[in-house]
Structures are given as structure tokens and as C-alpha cells.
Amino acid sequence: MADRKRVTGPEKSVVPLLEPGSLSAFTFDPEKRKDGRNIDRIRPVFMKTGVVRQANGSAYLEAGKLKVACGVYGPRQTARSKISSRGILNCDFKFSPFSGGRRRAYIKDSQEKEYSLVLRQALAPAVRLDLLPKSTVDVFVQVLESDGSAACLAAAITCAALALADAGIEMLDAVAACAVGYFDSTICLDPTDEEETYQSGSLVLSYMPSLNEVTHVIQSGEIGTTTTIKALELCVDACAQIQSVMQQTLAATIKEKINGA
Amino acid sequence: MISVSERDYITKGVDVSIRADGRSRLDFRELVLETGMITQASGSCRVTLDGGTDILVGVKVEVGSIEPEVEAEEADILEDMEQMDQDDGITMVKDKDRGRIICNVECSPSATRIFEPRDIEDMCNEYSQFMNRVLNGSHGGVDLKALCIIPGSTCWILNIDVLVLDYGGNLLDAIFMATRGALHNTRIPRATVEQSDGRVEFDIADEETEIIRGWEDVPLCVSLNKIGYRHIVDAAPLEELCSSARLTVAVNRRGNLCALQKGGHGGIEPSLLAEMVQTAKQIGQTLLKRQDAALREEEERIAAGKDPIGFGAASRH
Amino acid sequence: MSRLEIISPEGLRVDGRRPLELRRVNSRTAVLSQADGSAYIEQGNTKCLAAVYGPREPTKRAALLHDRALINVEYSVASFSSGERKQKLRRDRRLMEIASTIKRTFENVILTTTFPRSEIDIYLQVLQIDGGALHTAINAATLALVDAGIPMTDYVCACSAGYVNNQAILDLNYLEESAEIPTLTVALLPKSGKITMLGLESRLHLDKLEPVIQLASDGCKQLKENIDATIRESTKSLAKTILQ
């Protein structure tokens, strides 16, 4: 029975490939990045806490075009079946459907599931879960606009750590993360989406500056050992810079709370 | 489950480079490698590490379309999306002239008794994803372009099925070794493409087979576990329970790193991380040489026409 | 596939065997280090691996039996085992049915009353199928159980037989099984000659039933010789290491 009330689109439809600047040829030159940065500079980052009122803690991070929001709920009681003497950290990572060039579906695809796992592995070493028996901490990260998938992941980790701090959950240190793109033997910090299409590999690293410990590292692509080690060092330095912004943001939040209360 | 005293014993031992089975920190166990015992599969390989880990990999090739069919149901779309997920997760396959590799890790019932069923599934998913990430792509070694039959429409799909038969620690390293061995052993039927009346058709010849191009460049994996302040290679099950953090490095023949991933609950100092990366590179290249020698012996055995007696009969390395 | 090709005019089957001939059997025990008992058996191109754990504490307290051991069988087929790659489904009904058949086969043979309130787990992994997966799995399980030292009243030997062109044939391979020849699988206790499991899923004339069962039983007895030889050999080598 034909449905006369609706005008449905054709069954098979293809997204138009017109993206701004897609018609011009893009050649990647490390010396001249599109936003004028040096290869060892991260994008200027803006952070704010307390953006989600319902949540116990929340944070918002912006780096260039990238926008990530995170809400933390917890510690709250774990379901009966999973009770353990150590707290449980649940992480959820999701790209918004409108976040990138192509629309993403509502249901999580395998990349988002993988990033959720990475998020947990990056944050778990820092959170004092042993102080939260029988409890669960839920971390929900939503990417509002993505600009480089590796950079999004790094921003998500940073944002989640900030939200956890805002929620008052005890941690060993605020985890900061950053991403790197490899272009043969050139290392570029914090690659954007356009730059990512030309990279031969990527690295995401999360780091606790006060303890000098790397909580998570994940790299893909064929890279030489010396290049990798250099990239690790660059990332560690960048993470220290990011953490100083985190600390400033948290200090500002506390001041507001004291003054406002 | 591990007791406090056992943990202490192992940690102190690792500190002075004496492990429970007498190895030093960077010693890899003896491995036994056999190929070609599953005749129904296009290629197969079994790797046993002295002390229990037993992995069997079967490779089956099939002809498929470069873009998997997309159906109207959203659920089906997502299933296909998962199947063709590349590094960027972009739903449209960018390169229409490449074949695909699909990896799947499964645990045989006999290996699963030590873990909870949920943990097994998580572990298998994690390993499958890691393998998919490493093998699909130019860093994976395998020449995916050579697997294309008709650009834009048909290609070979390599289904790599990993079966964990027994657990004795260090699964991922053994899995990669067996996968590389199975790819060395795999034969694809020759596909000839003909153009007739404007239509392109292909024909598969069963008798003529080709090897997988680029199998030598497939990386091997080295997992390093941090115990106390030191790191060890090729951990046994008890050592894995003691480890605070784990670094998995995929190294190829050229000495380049194809993947790097950290696991475990603890953190690693950046200097130790750099050291572990260097160690992994050296050990990876040694392993590659060992495996290549074992594979050459296997080739000679097959050429000499000796039947594999199957299971435990092959040479030790 | 036409019936005429199953047995050629010279009386040879597709793989060159005589109608009453068993495929070549190779078996070994103690192939897995972590299992209490394990075995690997190859019958022609069908390969099966068995692992036995037990008797041990039951995982499901609720299912334990107060007067005997609980037997748990899991049967699994590798994705690359047959001609076409099949994705293994988590709860394939067919696999569970085969597992429960095997469980019932062994429940009567294992002296379960010796180990009340415990569990014996039998894990079967089929690596390659060329017909006769069920009976190969049963033989592998027998070997593994003996290797684990679990007391049984007798070996359980299984074999399959079929009937085509007025001729009963022994030990069908994949081509013969898929040619819709009635296949009968029999599991036998050789000492007493009792049949502990009999399975037939196609039509067979009642008159032909007796000779086919008899043929399968003869096949089982032949297999028993092979299984027995393997056990004795492995026991001898084990004894050597102990007595050194």
C-alpha cells in the first residue's frame, strides 16, 4: 500500500561531496599549516566547567573548530550483580550526528566503541577507584564538532578528566592528552581534519604531568622508532601545557563557587 | 587470582632478571610453528609457545564486492559500517581498488575456563579490533591493491579466523605469529579479468594459485609487561596478573613500528616508555628472523612431500 | 551427485576406499598443557581436538548433583573448518543438540557416582570437517577422558555407516554425506558390544537397518584397536618418565 501522506526520498541516496574548499587541491606543507601554526604547536584551547547542570560534574573544551562536552555522574550505586571492592568507571564516547562532514548514525559504530574503551583505559589509572567500593562513575563524552578524529579523542580524554575533577572525584592527577600526526618523518602536533587525510600515521597520548606517567598511548601507521620516541617527547611537553590550562580553569571554578556562595 | 606472596615473589624475581621459569627479562619462550594442517582453509598455521599458549589461525579467501551492500534498515547499515570501518571510520570506502582483510578472534571452549565469559568476549573483541587496525592499511604489509580483481566492484576478501586453543600467557604475540605464518601459507586462486562486450568479467582458476603479496612485511607483535619498575617480554599467566601496565608494539621487517598500544591499569614513565619501544623493536626483529627460519623449514618439509603429522610434530624454534 | 558415482564400477569410493574400509586414523593424547586430559584425532580429513577438565568444583552451584558428577559438554566448530566459511553463531541450536547427544552418550559410561557434587567438562573443538564430525568428536572425547584419568566402564568408540546401491558403506566422508545417503552414527562399548548412542536423520529401509548397524559396530571395534594402541603408547611413555 503506497504511503500517500509522506514524500519519501529515494531509497538509495548519496551525500553530496561538496565540502568547503574541496574543489581546490590541498597540498600539505609542514611549514605552512592552514591556521598558521608551527608543527610543534597545539591549537589554542578553551575550557569551562559546570556546563551540564544535571550532572555531578561537567566540562566543555574547545580547540580551534573542535568542540567537546563531557558530563560525569557519580559516584553512584552499582547494580547488584556487578558489585566489587573497587569502583567501576564507565566511559561513553559519541560523535554527534552533525559533528563531522558525513552524518553519523545514532547507534554507536565500532570506532566510537573503540574510543570509549580508550577513554576508560586512559582515565582509569588516574581515578582513585579503590576509594569508591560498590560505586560506579559514569562518564559521557559528546563531540559537538569534530576536527581530526585523533585530536577529538585526545580532547575527549582531557575534557573527561576535567569533568571528573569538577565532580569532585578523587584522582591522582588531572590527565591531559594530545594527538600527533605523522607525515613521513615530520611530526605535526594536533592535526586538523584536513591534515589527517594526508597523514601516514597518528599517535594519541595521555599523560599525568605531576606523576610523570603516561596513562595511555595508541599509535597506528608505519613509523620508525626514533620518530616515535621524538613524538612521545613532544606529546608529553604538550600535555604539560594543556594541564596548566586545566588547572587555571579549575582554580577559576573554585573562585566562582567561593565568591558566589 | 594471585596471592600477595606470589606477586611479591614474581616482582622481586623480575627485579633481578630471574623469572619463575628461569628466563631472564627479555627472553622469549621456545615456539613451535606448523603450517598447512587445515586443508579446507586457504592457509593455516599453528603456533605453540612452550608453556601452554596454543593458537590456530585459518585464512579463507572469498570473492566479495569492494563496497558491501547497503540495505534500507539502519541496523544493517551499521553492521556494514562496522565491517568496513577503516582508520577514520568514514562510511564510504575511499579506495576502490583494494581488497579487504577481516579478522576475527575466537576462544575455543577449552581455553575459556580461566576467564569470565564477559571478559573473554571483551578480550576477543579487543584483539579482533587491534588486528583489523594493524592489517588493513599500507602499514599492514599485505598488498591490498593486489587483492583487487575488478576496481570499483570486486575484490578478494581475506577472512582471518584466529582460534585460541589454550591459554599460557602472551596471546597477542602468538596470534600475530600464527597470522603471519598463515598468510605465508595462503594461496589465492588466480583470477583473470576479461573484457567482453563492454562488460568486465572475471574467472577463477582453481588449479593455479598465487601467494599473498606482501606477507613478509606483515608485522609481528611484541607485548611488554611492566612489573614493579622493570619490564618483561612474553609474560606467563601469573606474570600477566602481576603486571601494572602493558605495552603492545607491532614491528615489521624494516624495523618500523606499525602500531603501538598501551593496556593495563597503571601508568608508564615516558623514559621507560621510550626504552620499552626500543626493546620491542629489537626483540621484534629477532622474532621475525626466528619465524622466517621456521617458515623456511616448513616450506622445505612441504616441498619434500612429507605430510604434517599434525599437532606437535613440527620443529622447535 | 548421482548415486552411481559413490561407488565406481570397480567397487571403489570417491576417495579410493573399499566400501567396508575405514579412513586412516591418527591420534595423540596430552596435546594441551592446561587441560587435565586432552586428545587430538584425525580420521581422514576430519580433525577434532578434545579437552577434559575435571572432576572439579561446579561453576553453577545450582546445577550440582548430590550423588554424582555433572557432565558438561561444549561442542564448537571452527569457522574455517568446512568448504564455505561459516560465521559461528553463539547459540547455534545444532551445535547444542550435538553437545547434548555427546553428553548423554558419556553419562552412562563415566563412573559419575565416584565424584558426587563435582563437574566434569568436556570441550570439543572441530578443526576441519570432511564428514563424520560427530563420531570423530566422540572418539576424541574418549581419548581425552582416559588421558584425564576419569574412570569409565569401557571405551566409547563411534563410527558412521551408510547404505547406497545395495551396499553398506563404512565411514562416510563429506561428499557422501551431502549426497543424501542415509547416514547412521553408532557409538559402541566394545567390551560388551552394547550400543550407547545411535543416530539416524534420514530414511533407511527397515531391512537394511540391521546390516548397517552391524557394519558401523564393526567399524567401532576397529577404531577401538587404534584408540587402545594410542592410550597404551602414551601410558608407556608416561611410565618411562616416572620410572626414570
Side-chain angles (χ1 to χ4, degrees), chain B residues 149-168:
Chain B
I149 304 176
I150 301 174
S153 78
T154 343
C155 64
W156 286 112
I157 301 180
L158 293 183
N159 284 307
I160 301 183
D161 293 301
V162 178
L163 194 56
V164 177
L165 295 171
D166 204 0
Y167 171 73

Side-chain angles (χ1 to χ4, degrees), chain B:
Chain B
M1 292 264 98
I2 188 170
S3 72
V4 180
S5 5
E6 266 182 312
R7 186 186 289 267
D8 189 49
Y9 176 77
I10 291 178
T11 314
K12 291 217 169 78
V14 166
D15 209 28
V16 292
S17 198
I18 301 176
R19 292 158 72 173
D21 53 7
R23 286 184 284 157
S24 72
R25 280 195 294 264
L26 304 178
D27 277 344
F28 219 94
R29 282 176 282 189
E30 287 224 354
L31 62 98
V32 179
L33 188 138
E34 294 168 70
T35 55
M37 63 277 278
I38 310 282
T39 41
Q40 297 264 28
S42 314
S44 58
C45 179
R46 176 178 178 236
V47 165
T48 326
L49 289 179
D50 189 32
T53 298
D54 202 335
I55 308 280
L56 178 61
V57 172
V59 178
K60 278 190 100 65
V61 299
E62 60 183 7
V63 179
S65 55
I66 290 200
E67 276 182 49
E69 293 86 37
V70 176
E71 292 175 32
E73 298 283 343
E74 189 165 358
D76 290 28
I77 295 179
L78 295 160
E79 218 180 322
D80 291 340
M81 270 168 70
E82 280 186 357
Q83 253 208 311
M84 51 177 174
D85 228 291
Q86 303 282 307
D87 284 338
D88 301 328
I90 295 181
T91 52
M92 285 276 286
V93 178
K94 276 200 275 194
D95 310 301
K96 303 217 179 172
D97 58 347
R98 291 178 186 206
R100 281 204 307 276
I101 299 184
I102 301 176
C103 303
N104 188 35
V105 177
E106 255 169 35
C107 258
S108 165
S110 51
T112 58
R113 266 319 180 165
I114 312 168
F115 306 105
E116 298 290 310
R118 225 181 321 119
D119 290 345
I120 298 167
E121 228 182 289
D122 283 343
M123 184 183 77
C124 289
N125 276 338
E126 197 190 321
Y127 289 167
S128 307
Q129 275 179 358
F130 184 69
M131 285 182 76
N132 273 321
R133 213 171 349 114
V134 174
L135 293 172
N136 273 307
S138 56
H139 49 265
V142 174
D143 191 355
L144 292 173
K145 285 207 172 104
L147 294 177
C148 175
I149 304 176
I150 301 174
S153 78
T154 343
C155 64
W156 286 112
I157 301 180
L158 293 183
N159 284 307
I160 301 183
D161 293 301
V162 178
L163 194 56
V164 177
L165 295 171
D166 204 0
Y167 171 73
N170 202 20
L171 284 181
L172 203 50
D173 295 11
I175 289 177
F176 267 85
M177 265 193 269
T179 306
R180 189 165 180 267
L183 285 169
H184 155 88
N185 183 244
T186 305
R187 300 287 178 265
I188 315 185
R190 192 181 299 261
T192 38
V193 183
E194 287 159 2
Q195 293 233 16
S196 56
D197 310 326
R199 282 185 321 163
V200 191
E201 282 176 357
F202 64 93
D203 189 43
I204 315 270
D206 277 326
E207 303 81 34
E208 297 165 27
T209 54
E210 317 180 304
I211 58 166
I212 302 250
R213 259 176 260 168
W215 74 265
E216 324 84 32
D217 290 322
V218 170
L220 278 191
C221 186
V222 181
S223 298
L224 301 113
N225 279 279
K226 179 181 172 210
I227 295 182
Y229 295 112
R230 312 281 193 163
H231 57 274
I232 55 166
V233 156
D234 191 13
L238 282 177
E239 291 166 339
E240 280 187 354
L241 287 169
C242 291
S243 99
S244 51
R246 184 185 68 237
L247 187 70
T248 307
V249 184
V251 181
N252 71 7
R253 221 170 36 140
R254 289 188 279 267
N256 290 334
L257 309 179
C258 299
L260 185 71
Q261 186 163 326
K262 180 199 160 288
H265 298 293
I268 308 178
E269 297 82 39
S271 48
L272 183 60
L273 195 60
E275 204 187 305
M276 283 164 100
V277 166
Q278 291 281 33
T279 315
K281 175 188 163 179
Q282 283 163 4
I283 295 190
Q285 295 195 290
T286 320
L287 270 181
L288 277 161
K289 290 205 187 83
R290 266 165 87 176
Q291 194 192 31
D292 284 339
L295 287 173
R296 264 196 303 273
E297 267 190 44
E298 277 287 300
E299 265 184 43
E300 285 166 20
R301 179 184 62 76
I302 294 175
K306 293 193 209 132
D307 282 326
I309 308 176
F311 275 78
S315 49
R316 297 186 163 269
H317 280 267

Side-chain angles (χ1 to χ4, degrees), chain C:
Chain C
M1 194 163 178
S2 89
R3 305 246 157 160
L4 288 170
E5 289 174 47
I6 302 288
I7 303 184
S8 73
E10 297 88 47
L12 290 176
R13 287 150 75 178
V14 186
D15 47 9
R17 283 186 286 156
R18 297 248 149 232
L20 307 179
E21 205 180 312
L22 262 185
R23 284 178 288 183
R24 190 172 57 151
V25 178
N26 259 327
S27 52
R28 331 163 40 105
T29 55
V31 290
L32 296 173
S33 65
Q34 302 273 21
D36 291 327
S38 56
Y40 170 75
I41 191 165
E42 254 178 47
Q43 193 160 346
N45 277 328
T46 304
K47 302 178 163 102
C48 183
L49 184 66
V52 168
Y53 289 84
R56 57 179 178 180
E57 175 114 21
T59 41
K60 292 197 203 80
R61 277 306 189 81
L64 77 79
L65 300 164
H66 69 279
D67 58 348
R68 44 186 206 282
L70 183 70
I71 300 189
N72 181 32
V73 176
E74 268 183 52
Y75 176 85
S76 149
V77 173
S79 321
F80 43 74
S81 59
S82 55
E84 272 174 35
R85 182 183 172 272
K86 269 181 268 210
Q87 182 75 34
K88 183 185 106 169
L89 295 164
R90 284 248 97 195
R91 301 215 171 256
D92 194 339
R93 292 268 182 82
R94 183 99 182 96
L95 296 179
M96 288 172 78
E97 187 192 346
I98 295 178
S100 94
T101 311
I102 298 178
K103 172 181 157 148
R104 273 175 296 147
T105 311
F106 281 99
E107 253 170 6
N108 298 322
V109 186
I110 297 178
L111 297 173
T112 47
T113 46
T114 330
F115 312 107
R117 316 177 77 86
S118 64
E119 183 179 273
I120 297 175
D121 296 311
I122 307 176
Y123 299 117
L124 300 158
Q125 175 75 50
V126 178
L127 301 170
Q128 194 170 299
I129 300 188
D130 187 15
L134 174 57
H135 75 249
T136 311
I138 292 178
N139 294 329
T142 303
L143 276 168
L145 283 163
V146 176
D147 187 50
I150 292 176
M152 300 198 284
T153 54
D154 198 353
Y155 287 128
V156 180
C157 305
C159 195
S160 64
Y163 195 87
V164 71
N165 281 0
N166 294 322
Q167 168 77 54
I169 50 175
L170 184 63
D171 194 11
L172 282 74
N173 64 21
Y174 181 72
L175 288 167
E176 291 161 346
E177 272 182 8
S178 48
E180 294 175 13
I181 295 177
T183 313
L184 183 90
T185 308
V186 163
L188 187 83
L189 303 178
K191 253 196 302 214
S192 51
K194 290 199 181 147
I195 293 179
T196 174
M197 191 276 289
L198 193 135
L200 173 71
E201 281 170 8
S202 30
R203 271 187 329 188
L204 182 63
H205 198 283
L206 201 54
D207 292 343
K208 319 282 188 258
L209 187 63
E210 179 76 46
V212 173
I213 293 181
Q214 190 55 49
L215 181 60
S217 309
D218 289 338
C220 291
K221 294 202 182 97
Q222 283 181 50
L223 272 164
K224 183 244 179 187
E225 298 306 317
N226 187 292
I227 291 177
D228 195 40
T230 309
I231 298 281
R232 282 177 199 276
E233 219 184 280
S234 67
T235 314
K236 256 189 232 153
S237 51
L238 190 63
K240 261 196 229 148
T241 54
I242 295 174
L243 295 171
Q244 246 162 22

Side-chain angles (χ1 to χ4, degrees), chain A residues 39-175:
Chain A
I39 54 174
D40 59 352
R41 307 279 298 160
I42 52 173
R43 280 172 275 190
V45 77
F46 166 77
M47 297 185 204
K48 187 171 159 63
T49 57
V51 290
V52 179
R53 294 298 155 85
Q54 296 271 18
N56 292 100
S58 58
Y60 171 76
L61 187 149
E62 227 184 84
K65 281 196 266 175
L66 203 151
K67 297 171 182 62
V68 180
C70 175
V72 167
Y73 294 81
R76 43 190 187 179
Q77 192 174 11
T78 314
R80 270 315 192 92
S81 52
K82 300 191 193 141
I83 286 189
S84 79
S85 55
R86 230 181 116 82
I88 298 176
L89 182 67
N90 274 335
C91 292
D92 192 274
F93 180 97
K94 185 79 186 71
F95 281 106
S96 302
F98 44 79
S99 58
R102 293 234 147 80
R103 184 182 174 277
R104 288 207 177 234
Y106 276 105
I107 306 176
K108 276 198 251 177
D109 61 23
S110 61
Q111 186 195 24
E112 287 159 342
K113 283 191 203 148
E114 200 189 330
Y115 281 8
S116 304
L117 267 172
V118 170
L119 203 56
R120 188 165 69 80
Q121 284 173 325
L123 295 169
V127 180
R128 293 295 309 272
L129 291 169
D130 47 323
L131 295 176
L132 306 168
K134 306 188 197 171
S135 312
T136 308
V137 176
D138 291 314
V139 176
F140 297 97
V141 174
Q142 188 85 10
V143 176
L144 301 169
E145 186 175 343
S146 93
D147 194 9
S149 53
C152 275
L153 178 57
I157 297 172
T158 312
C159 194
L162 195 61
L164 282 165
D166 188 45
I169 292 172
E170 198 162 329
M171 298 193 285
L172 291 171
D173 192 8
V175 178

